[in-house]
Amino acid sequence: MEGVGAYTLLRVERGGLEPGVPGQFFMVEAPGRLLPRPMSLCLAPAGELGFLLEGVGPGTRALCEVEPGERLYVFGPLGNGFRLDVERPLLVGGGIGIAPFPYVAQALGDPPVLLGFRSERHAEAAVLLPNAAVVVEPTYVTEPLAELVEDHDVLACGPEPMLEAVRALAPTAQLAWEAPMACGYGACYGCSVEIDGVLKRLCIDGPILEAA
Amino acid sequence: MEGVGAYTLLRVERGGLEPGVPGQFFMVEAPGRLLPRPMSLCLAPAGELGFLLEGVGPGTRALCEVEPGERLYVFGPLGNGFRLDVERPLLVGGGIGIAPFPYVAQALGDPPVLLGFRSERHAEAAVLLPNAAVVVEPTYVTEPLAELVEDHDVLACGPEPMLEAVRALAPTAQLAWEAPMACGYGACYGCSVEIDGVLKRLCIDGPILEAA
Amino acid sequence: MILNASGCLDALAAPEVARSLDAFVTKTVTPQPRQGNRPVRIAETEHGMLNSIGLENPGIEALVAEKLPRLVELGVPIWVSVGGFAATDFAELCAALDERDEVTAIELNLSCPNVDEAPESAAEIVVAARAETRKPLYAKLSPAAADVAEVARAVQAAGADGLSLVNTMRGLVLDTHSLEPTLGTETGGYSGPALKPIALAAVFRCYRATGMPIVGMGGITTGRDALEFLAAGASVVALGTVLFADPEAPARVQAELMTELSARGLDQPEDACGISHRAAATTVA
Amino acid sequence: MILNASGCLDALAAPEVARSLDAFVTKTVTPQPRQGNRPVRIAETEHGMLNSIGLENPGIEALVAEKLPRLVELGVPIWVSVGGFAATDFAELCAALDERDEVTAIELNLSCPNVDEAPESAAEIVVAARAETRKPLYAKLSPAAADVAEVARAVQAAGADGLSLVNTMRGLVLDTHSLEPTLGTETGGYSGPALKPIALAAVFRCYRATGMPIVGMGGITTGRDALEFLAAGASVVALGTVLFADPEAPARVQAELMTELSARGLDQPEDACGISHRAAATTVA
Ligand SMILES: Cc1cc2nc3c(=O)[nH]c(=O)nc-3n(C[C@H](O)[C@H](O)[C@H](O)COP(=O)(O)OP(=O)(O)OC[C@H]3O[C@@H](n4cnc5c(N)ncnc54)[C@H](O)[C@@H]3O)c2cc1C
Ligand SMILES: Cc1cc2nc3c(=O)[nH]c(=O)nc-3n(C[C@H](O)[C@H](O)[C@H](O)COP(=O)(O)OP(=O)(O)OC[C@H]3O[C@@H](n4cnc5c(N)ncnc54)[C@H](O)[C@@H]3O)c2cc1C
Ligand SMILES: Cc1cc2nc3c(=O)[nH]c(=O)nc-3n(C[C@H](O)[C@H](O)[C@H](O)COP(=O)(O)O)c2cc1C
Ligand SMILES: Cc1cc2nc3c(=O)[nH]c(=O)nc-3n(C[C@H](O)[C@H](O)[C@H](O)COP(=O)(O)O)c2cc1C
Ligand code: FES
Ligand code: FES
């Protein structure tokens, strides 16, 4: 556990788990809670899995208080991950949406990164991506993005309004969505979202969807 | 917390609570459980309340594992306690039934004590009453008691079969009974027992009942 | 406004707890005295508890003659909970209480799971009770109904003034060692935190179906819980199981509730009543 | 024998989990495809969870044509859960499944709280279903009934072969900040550990009332829980909510159950069926 600006980095031993494709997620036990929480893989150092957490409710707050040595049940990798066969990648993250990008950046050889945060304190998390361009509210990532979008293949993760704005600018972007998830592996139908008029389970058909 | 043979001694700060009359009990929060557990006051050193615990189920086991510094909600003293205006007291305890007697003995100026335990390990708890005569199964307290009963006023605490046997030998004994209790202060009617053909709540009309 | 849940406090045994309430609700009284069920009568579960007290009570005559005069001295409004096995029982009980000025309201316990005799339909009982008294009548319902909102509508039509929601659900606990039922009656009434979402749903749906005043209860432990019951539609909340572990709960919950309210810019509990429905109502309009 | 609870596992999305079961139960299928309810569809509570999936399913035609052939390849017996809004729906579904040899049993979902249309009485539905199939019919009941044992007797008389106990109860969760219902449908079905004592009581009472084979479920998380359901009268247990947190639960619960059984000198799960009733039976005799 270490603080990264307003966020917390949780590192667990990898055990037998594969880190998977960047953009995939894991279901992480939240101590004292019934259901696990979906968490994007943030870092994959040798023998470990790293998750970046924002304490927004009972589950994430419990995870932010995990003590070293505690055992957590973690399963994954789950979902589809980002397509990495893009020519001119640009990573666009909003707030805790930065979470998957350190691992993505490693796989893509440090592509350009654009990050937006709601405060300077949150923006400290940009240390995880040293080359990133960072904006803080009231500036939004869409402002610098408007100038870069022409020449890039966008991979974005962040709150829904940000993803909608990115989609408007970059119709071919790969967007990482969120939905409340009970299981993360297609068992509960809790995460169904309408995609092109059809209901799909975001946990197995996503969380990355092509904008279009 | 300290081990006393097979039992555990829990000492809590007294706060604003009175220790009450020997034989009264307190409701003690059992960490992680919904309902508190009734516990006889065992020792009342200055500023503290001491309880002797036998870990028999989830509540008492949780209490045996309390860490120093933890806060426990405790309320009491509750119930009626022993009548101490007896001339020739003899304390008779079986197993964890020893619990109220250290505090009783202090109030009565170290009267004679007879204790029975189911093993040598349990019998180590007799250190709490240095002058006690101790028997271990297969010998039962009723064996030595039979010889002493004539000349004494018996105060007894222990498992139901023991209390029944004591009552048979000493019709005027004061017996400390048990019943499952949710509240300990007359609120739930969970502890009702039939006494002389009438239902009474053991928590407020007991736990000490005259044998008769 | 904070009450105790019926059967979860004896005001005469714990007067200082009763005085910390806005009104005291008696344990359910029946026409004749009842011994209640044989022990074991209570059992803890992982997230609640079971009871099978079985309406142990001294009967209406003794209540009126011996207990009411002493209860009045507490200076707290008194609600009497009444129960029985036929509509005539309820009628008799309400008749006996109608002239007692010291009784503020009557709660009709239509739902005790520890009494095996099948009750006549809730509405019939309310009609019979209504005929005997002009005192406020609160119908106490169980969530063990295919549609509790339908029952609520029926008791409203029958003349009830309010609802008390909810009573316990039938549950079972097995002894760790023997695997036999822990309670003497085998099954018993399930109460406590596990019940909260079920109780909240009942309050929410009955409020929408009837708009009646509701005493909300079922697992309330904190001021936040109380706030949720108000938001779902309760105008008053009642504390049950929590009183066993914490006799100081009324004052604590009240204080916590006020903190929750003021954090939301609300002045008093009444301002929170039904606020969970606002957005929904807007959507419908 | 360990099954999944209907709606709590997609065998095609997680074949290795399905293979760890003794039989796989499909999510409830209806005559026509259903989109299910709008999000949010799940919400955690302190001691359980709510869902309002609303029977999202591809319809019976697609199930039989596209899914059944793939399910068969798993090599696990297949139970199909069917649901609808009228007895004729159930009849149609059973007729469509009767000739499919790959279907071991049919579960009649008589109790989904997320579908608002009032179902015809449970017994009528069973009669209609029975007329169309000779496959084993399990009637799945909700504990939200004044007397679930009475419903059990009625479906037995109507021709059911067994019972699945229990389905979810209606519950409500309010959003921490807005205090509005978290679920898109406001209320939803409450499942998980909080339900266990209610579910155990239903199994216990229906076993005594009918002696029918029972699939027990509701909050089972450990082998100890499974043992308790068997002791209360279940012959088979099903895992629901626990599968979300622990896809390895079937093997774990099975292993824990075997340890519990052998600690009691019992050889196999069947030996534990109904043992909670033994002393009671002796007393009666
Ligand atoms: C695929 C995926 C990957 C994720 N990766 C990360 C990550 O790397 N780091 C991280 O901190 N968080 C991540 N999240 C979000 C995280 O799972 C939720 O914040 C967490 O489940 C909230 O649990 P809680 O108990 O703390 O709060 P809750 O009480 O469950 O929620 C707090 C508030 O957030 C809202 N909320 C909760 N979950 C969601 C959701 N999934 N979508 C929209 N609103 C929601 C609730 O309605 C509530 O208002 C991810 C989510 C998904 C679906
Ligand atoms: C007035 C009073 C004073 C007590 N003083 C002490 C004390 O000083 N030290 C101490 O260790 N214990 C004392 N006890 C007993 C103690 O309260 C119980 O052992 C405890 O509540 C059990 O809780 P549990 O969760 O550990 O076990 P549970 O699971 O509740 O019980 C374990 C087993 O014991 C049985 N049981 C539980 N409570 C009782 C009871 N009250 N009577 C009979 N059988 C019961 C259960 O049926 C079960 O078989 C006292 C009880 C009373 C009523
Ligand atoms: C020990 C006990 C006794 C009860 N006795 C009664 C009763 O006599 N009449 C009644 O209407 N409800 C009775 N109830 C139900 C409560 O009034 C209340 O409806 C229920 O416990 C839910 O609230 P809670 O979860 O806060 O306890 C009793 C509950 C308990 C736990
Ligand atoms: C997400 C979810 C979806 C469910 N869908 C169905 C369903 O389609 N049909 C059905 O009969 N029961 C359904 N259920 C109820 C379960 O089968 C089971 O009866 C209930 O969850 C209790 O068991 P549990 O506490 O182990 O989850 C569903 C439950 C959940 C949590
Ligand atoms: S989270 Fe359960 S199906 Fe997607
Ligand atoms: S323990 Fe509650 S009345 Fe005695």
Side-chain angles (χ1 to χ4, degrees):
Chain A
M1 304 300 303
E2 32 189 293
V4 184
Y7 308 105
T8 303
L9 187 64
L10 169 72
R11 289 160 51 178
V12 301
E13 278 172 38
R14 209 179 270 191
L17 301 176
E18 294 295 325
V21 177
Q24 285 191 293
F25 67 95
F26 288 76
M27 292 302 279
V28 181
E29 174 187 358
R33 309 299 305 179
L34 184 68
L35 298 173
R37 300 299 194 265
M39 291 294 153
S40 309
L41 188 65
C42 176
L43 292 167
E48 292 185 356
L49 301 173
F51 302 100
L52 191 69
L53 307 173
E54 179 169 20
V56 297
T60 47
R61 278 199 296 267
L63 277 169
C64 288
E65 280 161 22
V66 163
E67 303 279 338
E70 257 180 76
R71 296 186 66 84
L72 288 178
Y73 186 76
V74 175
F75 64 92
L78 300 161
N80 58 359
F82 288 104
R83 263 194 309 101
L84 299 181
D85 58 347
V86 288
E87 282 181 16
R88 304 147 310 163
L90 170 65
L91 313 185
V92 181
I96 186 64
I98 186 182
F101 289 136
Y103 185 44
V104 173
Q106 186 190 322
L108 289 176
D110 285 314
V113 183
L114 200 50
L115 299 174
F117 293 97
R118 65 172 175 281
S119 81
E120 293 294 345
R121 175 122 188 286
H122 289 85
E124 287 172 36
V127 296
L128 294 170
L129 287 161
N131 302 324
V134 177
V135 297
V136 172
E137 287 185 24
T139 310
Y140 290 98
V141 281
T142 38
E143 205 170 293
L145 177 61
E147 321 211 324
L148 295 166
V149 69
E150 277 296 292
D151 315 318
H152 288 95
D153 302 303
V154 173
L155 284 63
C157 183
E160 204 167 308
M162 182 197 104
L163 295 182
E164 296 290 0
V166 169
R167 162 152 66 181
L169 288 170
T172 61
Q174 299 181 52
L175 307 175
W177 297 89
E178 282 196 15
M181 292 183 176
C183 74
Y185 67 99
C188 74
Y189 282 80
C191 64
S192 287
V193 289
E194 211 177 293
I195 299 166
D196 306 332
V198 200
L199 277 182
K200 300 212 168 166
R201 282 165 287 177
L202 194 70
C203 68
I204 51 178
D205 292 322
I208 320 293
L209 304 175
E210 309 275 320
Chain B
M1 303 300 304
E2 33 190 292
V4 184
Y7 308 105
T8 303
L9 186 64
L10 170 71
R11 290 160 50 177
V12 300
E13 280 172 35
R14 210 181 269 193
L17 300 177
E18 294 295 325
V21 177
Q24 285 192 292
F25 67 95
F26 289 75
M27 293 301 281
V28 181
E29 174 186 358
R33 308 300 304 181
L34 184 67
L35 298 173
R37 299 299 196 266
M39 290 294 152
S40 308
L41 188 64
C42 177
L43 292 167
E48 291 186 356
L49 300 173
F51 301 100
L52 191 69
L53 307 172
E54 178 168 19
V56 297
T60 47
R61 279 199 295 266
L63 277 169
C64 289
E65 279 161 23
V66 163
E67 302 280 337
E70 257 181 76
R71 294 186 66 85
L72 287 179
Y73 186 75
V74 175
F75 63 94
L78 300 162
N80 59 358
F82 287 105
R83 261 194 310 102
L84 299 181
D85 57 349
V86 289
E87 282 179 18
R88 304 148 307 162
L90 170 65
L91 313 184
V92 181
I96 185 65
I98 186 181
F101 289 136
Y103 184 42
V104 172
Q106 187 189 320
L108 289 176
D110 284 315
V113 183
L114 200 52
L115 299 173
F117 293 97
R118 66 173 175 281
S119 80
E120 293 293 345
R121 176 124 187 285
H122 290 85
E124 287 171 36
V127 295
L128 294 169
L129 287 161
N131 303 323
V134 177
V135 297
V136 173
E137 287 185 26
T139 309
Y140 290 99
V141 281
T142 38
E143 204 171 294
L145 176 62
E147 322 211 322
L148 296 167
V149 70
E150 278 295 295
D151 315 317
H152 288 93
D153 302 303
V154 173
L155 284 64
C157 184
E160 205 168 307
M162 182 198 102
L163 294 182
E164 297 290 1
V166 169
R167 165 154 60 183
L169 287 171
T172 62
Q174 298 182 53
L175 307 176
W177 297 88
E178 283 196 13
M181 293 184 177
C183 74
Y185 67 98
C188 73
Y189 282 80
C191 64
S192 288
V193 289
E194 212 176 291
I195 299 167
D196 306 331
V198 201
L199 278 182
K200 299 211 168 169
R201 282 165 287 177
L202 195 70
C203 67
I204 52 178
D205 292 321
I208 318 293
L209 304 175
E210 309 275 320
Chain C
M1 203 166 117
I2 298 185
L3 276 54
N4 65 296
S6 173
C8 298
L9 187 67
D10 177 352
L12 300 178
E16 65 300 349
V17 180
R19 277 194 217 97
S20 71
L21 297 164
D22 295 303
F24 169 73
V25 185
T26 69
K27 182 157 182 62
T28 299
V29 62
T30 52
Q32 300 304 316
R34 281 176 60 91
Q35 291 263 317
N37 295 318
R38 68 177 176 286
V40 175
R41 292 175 166 198
I42 47 174
E44 199 187 49
T45 70
E46 287 304 306
H47 307 297
M49 66 173 282
L50 300 188
N51 86 81
S52 60
I53 310 301
L55 301 188
E56 175 177 342
N57 82 88
I60 186 71
E61 238 182 82
L63 178 91
V64 170
E66 292 156 34
K67 300 219 164 172
L68 265 188
R70 294 169 60 204
L71 288 171
V72 172
E73 284 168 25
L74 295 169
V76 182
I78 309 293
W79 291 33
V80 177
S81 166
V82 301
F85 309 101
T88 49
D89 290 343
F90 285 86
E92 175 186 340
L93 292 158
C94 288
L97 294 168
D98 186 49
E99 311 237 306
R100 315 303 312 191
D101 286 343
E102 58 272 45
V103 175
T104 303
I106 299 175
E107 189 173 82
L108 305 171
N109 180 356
L110 304 177
S111 47
C112 184
N114 293 320
V115 178
D116 236 14
E117 295 84 350
E120 294 171 58
S121 91
E124 278 172 55
I125 291 174
V126 174
V127 167
R130 180 78 292 165
E132 301 295 337
T133 184
R134 277 158 312 162
K135 286 201 192 290
L137 282 180
Y138 280 75
K140 185 163 179 184
L141 306 180
S142 153
D147 185 356
V148 68
E150 204 176 284
V151 185
R153 263 188 238 103
V155 299
Q156 182 177 36
D161 301 293
L163 301 168
S164 292
L165 299 169
V166 295
N167 214 319
T168 55
M169 289 280 306
R170 197 188 287 274
L172 177 70
V173 168
L174 301 179
D175 182 82
T176 323
H177 303 291
S178 71
L179 289 174
E180 282 161 26
T182 300
L183 296 181
T185 51
E186 300 181 336
T187 62
Y190 189 35
S191 66
L195 214 58
K196 195 184 100 173
I198 295 172
L200 269 182
V203 169
F204 187 88
R205 299 184 67 243
C206 292
Y207 177 81
R208 186 170 290 165
T210 69
M212 290 170 102
I214 294 173
V215 183
M217 75 194 94
I220 297 177
T221 308
T222 64
R224 163 78 200 185
D225 295 333
L227 175 64
E228 292 186 6
F229 276 82
L230 296 175
S235 36
V236 175
V237 296
L239 307 182
T241 301
V242 68
L243 289 172
F244 305 153
D246 181 7
E248 296 170 272
R252 175 178 57 75
V253 170
Q254 175 72 33
E256 290 168 354
L257 175 60
M258 293 315 292
T259 308
E260 292 277 355
L261 289 169
S262 64
R264 287 160 199 277
L266 302 171
D267 290 335
Q268 44 192 5
E270 296 79 68
D271 299 342
C273 179
I275 59 176
S276 295
H277 297 264
R278 287 214 187 126
T282 316
T283 321
V284 172
Chain D
M1 203 167 121
I2 298 184
L3 277 55
N4 65 297
S6 172
C8 299
L9 187 67
D10 176 353
L12 299 178
E16 65 300 348
V17 180
R19 274 192 220 100
S20 71
L21 297 164
D22 295 303
F24 169 73
V25 185
T26 68
K27 182 158 183 59
T28 299
V29 62
T30 51
Q32 300 303 316
R34 281 176 60 91
Q35 290 263 316
N37 294 318
R38 66 177 177 288
V40 174
R41 293 175 166 198
I42 48 173
E44 198 187 50
T45 70
E46 288 304 307
H47 307 298
M49 66 173 283
L50 300 188
N51 87 78
S52 60
I53 310 302
L55 300 188
E56 176 177 341
N57 81 88
I60 186 71
E61 235 182 85
L63 178 94
V64 170
E66 291 155 35
K67 298 218 163 173
L68 266 188
R70 293 169 61 205
L71 287 172
V72 172
E73 282 169 26
L74 295 168
V76 182
I78 307 295
W79 293 33
V80 177
S81 166
V82 302
F85 310 101
T88 49
D89 289 344
F90 286 85
E92 175 186 340
L93 292 157
C94 288
L97 294 168
D98 186 51
E99 310 238 304
R100 316 302 312 190
D101 285 342
E102 59 272 46
V103 175
T104 303
I106 299 176
E107 188 172 81
L108 306 171
N109 179 357
L110 305 177
S111 49
C112 184
N114 293 319
V115 177
D116 236 14
E117 295 84 351
E120 294 170 59
S121 90
E124 278 173 54
I125 292 174
V126 174
V127 167
R130 181 78 293 165
E132 300 296 335
T133 183
R134 278 161 310 164
K135 287 199 191 289
L137 282 180
Y138 280 75
K140 185 163 179 184
L141 306 181
S142 154
D147 185 356
V148 69
E150 203 177 286
V151 185
R153 263 187 238 102
V155 299
Q156 182 177 37
D161 301 294
L163 301 167
S164 293
L165 299 171
V166 296
N167 212 318
T168 56
M169 289 280 304
R170 198 188 287 274
L172 176 69
V173 168
L174 301 179
D175 182 81
T176 323
H177 303 291
S178 71
L179 289 173
E180 282 161 25
T182 301
L183 295 181
T185 50
E186 300 182 337
T187 62
Y190 190 33
S191 65
L195 214 58
K196 195 184 101 175
I198 295 173
L200 268 183
V203 169
F204 186 87
R205 298 184 67 243
C206 292
Y207 177 81
R208 186 170 292 166
T210 69
M212 290 170 100
I214 294 174
V215 183
M217 73 194 96
I220 297 177
T221 309
T222 64
R224 163 78 200 185
D225 295 333
L227 174 64
E228 292 186 7
F229 275 82
L230 297 175
S235 35
V236 175
V237 296
L239 307 181
T241 302
V242 69
L243 289 172
F244 304 153
D246 181 8
E248 295 169 271
R252 176 179 56 76
V253 170
Q254 175 72 34
E256 290 168 354
L257 174 60
M258 294 315 292
T259 307
E260 292 277 355
L261 288 169
S262 63
R264 287 160 199 278
L266 301 170
D267 290 335
Q268 43 191 8
E270 296 80 66
D271 298 341
C273 178
I275 59 176
S276 295
H277 296 263
R278 286 216 188 125
T282 315
T283 320
V284 174

